[in-house]
Structure formats: structure tokens, C-alpha cells
Amino acid sequence: MKHKLNFIDKELSRIKNDNLHRKLQYGKAQGAFITIKEKKLINLCSNDYLGIPITKIQTDQLQSSSRLVSGNDESYKKLESILSKHKSQQNSLIFPTGYMANLGSISAIAKKGDLILSDELNHASIIESCKLSGAKISIYKHNDMNDLLKKIKKNGKNKFIITEGIFSMDGDFSSLKEITEISQKTDAITIVDDAHGDFVMGKDGKGTPNHFKVAKKIDLYISSLSKGLGSFGGYVSSQNNVIDACINKSKSFIYTSALPSFLVEHSIKRILSNRDDQQKKLHNNIGRLSKGLKSIGYEINSQSQIIPIIVGNEKTAMEFGKFLFKNGIFAQPIRYPTVAKNQARLRISVTAWLKQSDIEKALQIFEKGFKKFY
């Protein structure tokens, strides 16, 4: 008897035929390595960019209610105060994840009748957030300021420019200096999702806008605690009325359980730790790996810890990934719909965990891969 859910099999077959099928791989990550099926590999997929060496976590209290009911542990107030100072903003609000921070904050302040200008390479969570807001959405070409200037002339009661600080799949920087200039001229509100730049770029890791000296021109920061900081959760920082609106209007804040308080305490310990040495290690590793890949012959345009190796064909990218795995390197192939079709790539994430010997070994394998796949 035909089951009423059998139609899903047809869609899965199409995904497999297009070399876009994904499977979960179970493993254990520790420091610079990840172990999968008893095979130890150099991990070039971690988002724990700084590798802050704090491992002990106290699990005395677990929260299970929403923050507006009974889950609002005192530790939240302390961390939000630290984050507000970190971003030089009036107030902050922690969400369970960075994805939820985007969904909740953008939909809380943008509404029908407003105009959102969004970079075409913005993260999926930003795309979904813009749709939820009900505002009119205009996608401008990636980092194309002429296209942004053209499209910002469209009607909108309030106008928002939304961009990532460092783009998650290309590793390039947003044109924040030019964007903030346009925002000031057009009275637009500037929102930056700096998940991949926060704690990594700028003085004391204050982020990408600080790196470009435009931090005071950003109206709303959205970021992550689970990347550069190596903890868990997401947050937003802005002026008081924006945070108040998020508390009262963000469904992804109101209708979900609070982060366990031990994770909040973990973030506090990490943000108050001496991160300078880890930041220096990270940037040294970025330089070593980027320079090495370029000397092999790869076209590397990224200046951040996210280094994409563009392969193009999805099947070839999968084969390249398997080759790396076989030779002790874990670097996941990224395919459509995360990136455009025929823009498949190996997305390398550099961390401070990596030793020089790890980088040298990785470069040896990538050199063999270059000869095999290019």
C-alpha cells in the first residue's frame, strides 16, 4: 500500500542525483582535531576561532522556562551588561542562538511599509528574518555600493541596511565604511550581523565595525557567543528602546526556553579571559595557511579566518572532500542551496587551536589535492 508520505522519496532522489544530499557525521571534536569513525583528522571546520582554553563548566543549575516566566537567571544581567560595554551600546539581550537573535530582532523593529536593503550573500537567518518582518525587501548585489545607492531610493517609511560583517561562506569583509556613509546620507538604520567577526576582529575583539573604525555608526549589532567566543548562544546590542521592543515582540525570545545558566556563566568566563594571545595566534595561523594555499596555486581572496576554496562542480567538491578525509583533513564541501549552484567549495575555518605542524601537514595534503582536482 502506498504511504501518503512517499512523495518525499521523489524529492530525496532528485537531491541525490544533483549531488546535493547531506548526511550527519557523528564525531568528537577536541582542540585542533575531530575524530570520526575512529579516524583522527585535523579539523578545518570549527567555528571555535579563538580556542580559549577554559574547559571546566559548573552545571549546578539548569533553566527550563522562558526568560519572561522564570528562566531569567541573574547571570543574564551580568553577561548582557558586559556585552553592552563590549559593543559600546546602551543595552543587550541574549537569545538561545544567533539564528534566533536574527529572527527576533529584525522582525521586532522592521514592519510592513518599511524597506529592507539586504546584501545578496547574507546568511539564511537574515533572509528568513526579513521575510518575517513583513517589510518590502530589496536585495542589492554583493558589496555593490552603486546598486545599494540605486535601490535605497525606493519608498519606505523606515529604511534598513542589513549586512554581515564577515560573510560566512566567502570570508570577505562587508564594505562597512561605505555602507555607514550611505546610511547617514539617507537616514537609514544600519544592522550588522557580526557573528564571524565578533571577538576575532578589531581592538580587543570588538568586531568588524571596530576594525573599520565605524563602530559608533552601527545602530543594531547581532552576534553569536558560539563562534569567536567558543561558548553558546546569540545576542543583540543596541539602544534601550530596541532591546525593549525585542523583549516584547520577538517570538524567538518570548516563546522559547532560556539558555541554561551554566552556559551563560561559561560565556562570562570566556569574555573576561585574556583573549589577546588567542587573537594573535589566530591571525598568525590565518596568514600561514592563506600564504601557503596561494603558493600552491589556489586563488585565495579572503583576509579572514574563513577561507573558501572554490571548486565549482558539486560532484567534484564531494570527491575533494573525501580525498581530504582519507588523508587526515576534515574540511566540509559546501553546496547549493548554501551557496549558488556550480559554486561548490571547501570552506576552511582557521582556529587558534592549530599548531604550525598542523598547518604544514594540511598544506601538504592540499598540494596533492590541487594536482588531483585542478
Side-chain angles (χ1 to χ4, degrees):
M1 182 178 176
K2 187 178 179 182
H3 196 279
K4 57 188 175 184
L5 289 176
N6 283 356
F7 71 92
I8 295 172
D9 292 334
K10 185 177 180 180
E11 178 67 8
L12 287 171
S13 294
R14 182 193 65 77
I15 291 171
K16 289 175 182 177
N17 290 336
D18 291 342
N19 296 295
L20 300 175
H21 191 251
R22 292 162 170 79
K23 287 184 179 180
L24 290 172
Q25 295 195 71
Y26 294 94
K28 185 173 180 62
Q30 188 170 16
F33 300 94
I34 185 169
T35 303
I36 300 174
K37 296 178 182 177
E38 299 182 355
K39 186 177 178 69
K40 190 175 181 180
L41 308 109
I42 296 173
N43 189 0
L44 298 183
C45 286
S46 175
N47 281 342
D48 185 8
Y49 301 131
L50 293 183
I52 300 169
I54 297 175
T55 55
K56 191 174 181 180
I57 303 177
Q58 297 292 335
T59 57
D60 297 334
Q61 185 179 7
L62 297 174
Q63 298 291 350
S64 59
S65 182
S66 74
R67 288 185 63 187
L68 282 170
V69 180
S70 64
N72 200 37
D73 189 82
E74 283 285 337
S75 57
Y76 277 92
K77 184 177 181 181
K78 182 177 179 181
L79 179 55
E80 285 165 348
S81 176
I82 293 169
L83 290 169
S84 299
K85 186 177 180 181
H86 173 66
K87 288 298 184 190
S88 300
Q89 294 289 323
Q90 288 181 345
N91 211 342
S92 297
L93 189 68
I94 301 166
F95 286 75
T97 66
Y99 198 115
M100 294 170 79
N102 266 325
L103 290 181
S105 59
I106 294 170
S107 62
I109 62 172
K111 58 187 182 300
K112 188 176 180 180
D114 292 339
L115 174 67
I116 292 176
L117 292 307
S118 179
D119 189 289
E120 67 175 329
L121 294 189
N122 275 342
H123 190 265
S125 59
I126 297 175
I127 295 168
E128 294 303 313
S129 307
C130 295
K131 291 177 182 176
L132 278 176
S133 72
K136 184 178 180 180
I137 305 163
S138 184
I139 309 297
Y140 64 90
K141 295 175 186 176
H142 179 52
N143 266 343
D144 188 327
M145 296 301 101
N146 289 327
D147 195 40
L148 175 58
L149 277 169
K150 178 183 174 183
K151 289 174 176 174
I152 204 168
K153 293 176 182 177
K154 295 178 181 178
N155 291 331
K157 186 175 181 181
N158 299 299
K159 296 182 180 183
F160 301 84
I161 302 175
I162 304 178
T163 181
E164 293 187 58
I166 295 175
F167 289 91
S168 58
M169 288 300 127
D170 285 67
D172 57 335
F173 291 102
S174 174
S175 301
L176 286 178
K177 189 174 184 299
E178 292 83 357
I179 286 173
T180 52
E181 288 172 355
I182 291 170
S183 293
Q184 287 185 312
K185 290 176 182 176
T186 59
D187 202 29
I189 296 158
T190 307
I191 300 176
V192 176
D193 177 348
D194 202 29
H196 295 279
D198 205 5
F199 306 106
V200 171
M201 297 295 168
K203 184 180 179 182
D204 193 31
K206 290 182 181 293
T208 311
N210 178 275
H211 175 74
F212 288 108
K213 296 180 172 55
V214 295
K216 293 181 180 179
K217 298 179 181 179
I218 307 304
D219 299 298
L220 171 61
Y221 285 95
I222 304 167
S223 191
S224 171
L225 300 169
S226 57
K227 295 182 172 61
L229 201 61
S231 187
F232 197 83
Y235 75 95
V236 298
S237 286
S238 187
Q239 60 187 49
N240 287 324
N241 61 349
V242 172
I243 302 305
D244 199 17
C246 288
I247 292 169
N248 285 277
K249 295 179 65 179
S250 299
K251 291 182 179 179
S252 60
F253 174 83
I254 299 168
Y255 301 110
T256 193
S257 298
L259 272 180
S261 57
F262 73 85
L263 287 176
V264 180
E265 294 283 0
H266 186 246
S267 292
I268 292 170
K269 287 180 181 178
R270 289 193 161 225
I271 198 170
L272 294 178
S273 67
N274 183 3
R275 293 176 278 111
D276 289 347
D277 288 345
Q278 298 305 110
Q279 200 175 349
K280 288 173 186 175
K281 283 182 187 177
L282 172 61
H283 287 284
N284 286 336
N285 286 348
I286 293 168
R288 285 194 191 105
L289 193 55
S290 293
K291 185 179 179 181
L293 289 169
K294 287 177 183 177
S295 68
I296 291 168
Y298 290 102
E299 186 178 339
I300 305 298
N301 297 314
S302 168
Q303 293 180 313
S304 74
Q305 72 279 10
I306 299 168
I307 304 175
I309 293 178
I310 309 297
V311 177
N313 180 268
E314 283 79 11
K315 186 177 181 180
T316 305
M318 292 297 292
E319 290 172 352
F320 202 159
K322 289 175 183 176
F323 166 83
L324 292 173
F325 188 96
K326 184 180 178 180
N327 287 276
I329 304 295
F330 190 61
Q332 286 279 39
I334 304 294
R335 297 158 289 157
Y336 178 84
T338 308
V339 295
K341 285 184 178 179
N342 297 314
Q343 283 292 305
R345 65 200 59 193
L346 296 165
R347 180 186 181 273
I348 297 172
S349 294
V350 186
T351 70
W353 286 114
L354 299 169
K355 295 179 181 177
Q356 188 166 346
S357 58
D358 300 324
I359 293 173
E360 287 171 359
K361 180 183 176 181
L363 288 171
Q364 289 171 8
I365 304 305
F366 274 106
E367 186 169 13
K368 291 179 183 177
F370 187 83
K371 293 173 183 176
K372 185 176 178 67
F373 294 99
Y374 277 78

